Amino acid sequence: MNLKRLVNRQVVNNLSRFNGRVRIRRDFSTVTASIHSSNSICDGVALYSFSNPTPILSFNRYMHTIGETKLIGSSFNPKHNDNDSEEDETMNEFLSRFVWIMRGKLTEVYKDCDKQTINNMLLVIVGKVVSEMEKGGLEQMLDVAVATLSQEFSRDLWKTVFEVSNAVLADMEKERKKEKMKGFLQCEEVQELCRFAAEIGIRGDMMREFRFKWAREKMEESDFYEGLKRLREEVRAQEKAEEEGKNTVAMGEEAVTMGEEKPKAVTLPMRHGKINYKIYGLDLSNPKWAKVADRIHESEKLDWPEEPKPISGKCKIVTEKILALKEEDDPSPLLAEWAELQKPSRIDWLTLLDKLKEQNTCLYPKVEEVLLSEKSFQANIRDYSKIIDAHAKQNRIEDAERIVEKMNENGIQPDALTTNILVHMYSKAGSLDRAREALESLRRLGFRPDREIYNSMIMVYVNAGQPKLAESLTREMEARDIKPTMEIYMTLLRSFSQQGDVGGAGRIATTMQFAGFQPNLESCTLLVETFGQVGDPDQARNNFDYLMRLGHKPDDRCTAAMIAAYEKKNMLDKALKLLLELEKDGFEPGLATDSVLVDWLGKLQLVDEVEQLLGRIAEQGEAPPLKIQVSLCDMYARAGFEKKALQALGVVEAKKEQLGLHDFERVVGGLIAGGFVQEARRVHGLMEAQGFASEHLKVSLTASQAFSRKRPSK
C-alpha cells in the first residue's frame, strides 16, 4: 500500500511538531510499497522518554538500506511532486527504523515463532500505530496514557511501542545534528580559528577539542537565529490566519475529514534469497564490515562529543557537599559516593571539575589528583600536565614530582609539554641538576628549546654561580637565530662582575654591542666594578671615562666603584683629584662613596677625617651601613679607642648573620691588634658558629694569649 494513502500530510506535520528539530523533507519519492524490514550495524545512544526525563532505552544506530517495495496487488506507480517526496522520505525512514527494532524485540520474546508469524505480528502492530497516528498524530499518541489507547494491545506492548518510537525519533534527531555539525566543522570561521590555534602551537587532542567547541558554538548560534526566524514566521502566520478566519475554518474541517479516514490494510513484503547491501556500489554483505562499522562508531564518538548527564536527587546533594569542602578535607569518600550514584563518564567528571574550579579553586588540584586513579575518568597525559603545572606555579616541587612518578607508574611517559613545565619549575626553584636533566629529556624528545626555556636555564646557571655555562647557552641561541634580550646580557654581565671575571665581562660587553645594544650606565658601572675588584684602576678609569664620553653622568654607585679601584692600589691622590673634578660638575658624594672613603681612611687610621665623613652621613639622614660599622670597629680597636670600639662591636655582633668571612677576619684582626683578646675570642666563636674558618686567625689568637699583650687605651 502506498504510504501516502496511510499517512496524510497532517500526520507528518504532527510528527514534526512532536520533535521540532527533526527536519521534515517534503519529498514523497517513489515509495510504492509498505514497510520493508531492514538490517543494520549498530552503536548505542541514551534516549529519553517524553513523559519521563530519565533514559528509557539504549538502542543502536542503524546503517541500513531500504529496498524499493512494490504495491501489492497493483502496478500503480503515481508521480509525486517534490514536497510529497520529502514527507515520504521522512516517514519511510521512521517506519523503517521502527519495524527493524520491533522485529528484534518480537524475535527476542517469541523465540519459538517462525518468520511468517513474526511478520504477521509486525503487520498488526504497524497497522495499529499508523491508525493511531492518523487519529491525532504521533505526538498525541505518545502523550496520552496507556489506559486511554486501544485495548487491542496490552499495556506492555504499548509501552514498548512508545519506547521504540522515542528511540527512533531521538536517533533521527541525533543524525540530523551530526550532519549539521559536519557542516559547521568545515565553515570558514572555524577553519580560521583552527589556523590561528595551529600557529600558536596547539596540536593533537587539544586542537580537536577546540575545533568541536567552536563548531558547536557556531551551530548553537545558528540554531538561535533560526529559532527567532521561526517564531517570526509563526507570528506572521497567526496574523494572516486571523485575517483569513473563514479560510482557516474551512481548512480545519478539511483536515478533520482527512484525519478521520480509516487506515487501510498494510502488508509486509516477501523477501527471497540473500540480502545484499550496497552503498555507492560497494557490497557490504560481508561480515567483516561489521568490524568496520564498530570502528566508525568509535571515531564518531570523537566527532560528536557526548553531553553530561543531568544531576538530580541525592546526587545533587552530594555535589553541593563536594563544592563546599575545605582544602584540608579528604574528598575521596564523597567522590566515591558521587560516582556510585551518577555512574559518570569522563564528560561528567569534567563538568564537576569545572564547577569546582569556579567555586572552590583551592580544592581543585586535590580533587583532580584523586580522579587520576578513577577508571571512569579516563585520565590522559594532559590531565597530568595540568596538575603538574598548577603545583609548579605554586613552587610545590614535591607534589609535582609525585604526579610525575604516578605518571610513570601508570605507563605514561612525560611529553614535551610536561617536560617544558618541569624545566621552568626547577629553574625557578634553583635546582640546577634537575633542570639540566629536564632539558636533556626535552631534547631527546626532539623538542627544540624556545626563548623561554633558554632564559630559565640561563637564570638557573647564573644563580648557581656558573655564568660561563649560561654564556654557552646564549651562543646556542644566537646560532639558532634567537636573539637574547638586554636583560639576559645584563644578568650575565652582573654575574661575571660579581666573580671578578674580567674576560667574561668583556666578552659579554662586546657581544652586547654586536647585538645592537648600546652601553648604558649600568653596564659601564659593572665593568668599572669588575676591574676594581681585580685591582686594575687604569682599565676601570678607561671605562669610567668612556661612560662620560657617551653622555652619561656617573652616579654615586659608579663613583664609589672607581674610588674602590684606586683604594686597591692606595692611589689616594688620584681618588681625591677625581672627586674634585666631579664636584665641579655638580656631583655630590652619596652613601656609597662615603662608605668607601670611610673604609679607606679607617685603614689609614685617619680618625678625625673618618668622623667628619660620619657627620656628613648623619646630616644626610642615612644610617651607616654594616660595612662602615666593620671599618669603625677595626679602626677604633687599632687606635685604642675602647669605648667606641666596643660600641661598634656591639652593632656588628647584632648583625652577625649578614657578615662574611672577610668581615669576620677584619673585626677579629683589629681586636687582636688592639689588645681586645677576650672580645676577639668571642667574635671568633661567632664566626665558627656561622660556618666560617680561618687558620691564620687561630694562630693570631694563640699568639696573643701567649704574649698577653696589654690593651692600649685612649
Side-chain angles (χ1 to χ4, degrees), residues 423-438:
V423 171
H424 288 296
M425 180 184 70
Y426 289 131
S427 300
K428 186 177 179 181
S431 181
L432 176 59
D433 296 334
R434 297 285 184 85
R436 189 182 299 170
E437 291 175 3

Side-chain angles (χ1 to χ4, degrees), residues 498-513:
Q498 291 173 356
Q499 294 185 358
D501 190 343
V502 176
R507 289 194 305 272
I508 296 300
T510 304
T511 305
M512 285 176 60
Q513 293 186 10

Side-chain angles (χ1 to χ4, degrees), residues 554-613:
D555 58 0
D556 184 46
R557 176 190 165 192
C558 184
T559 305
M562 190 64 242
I563 299 299
Y566 282 130
E567 181 188 0
K568 292 286 184 180
K569 297 296 183 179
N570 203 20
M571 297 178 176
L572 185 59
D573 52 343
K574 291 187 177 181
L576 295 177
K577 183 179 179 181
L578 174 63
L579 288 175
L580 292 175
E581 293 176 356
L582 293 175
E583 287 180 355
K584 290 180 181 179
D585 296 333
F587 172 77
E588 294 183 2
L591 182 61
T593 304
D594 289 339
S595 298
V596 174
L597 290 174
V598 167
D599 183 68
W600 192 356
L601 298 177
K603 292 178 181 178
L604 298 176
Q605 297 294 305
L606 300 175
V607 179
D608 295 336
E609 288 77 1
V610 169
E611 290 182 346
Q612 289 179 5
L613 290 173

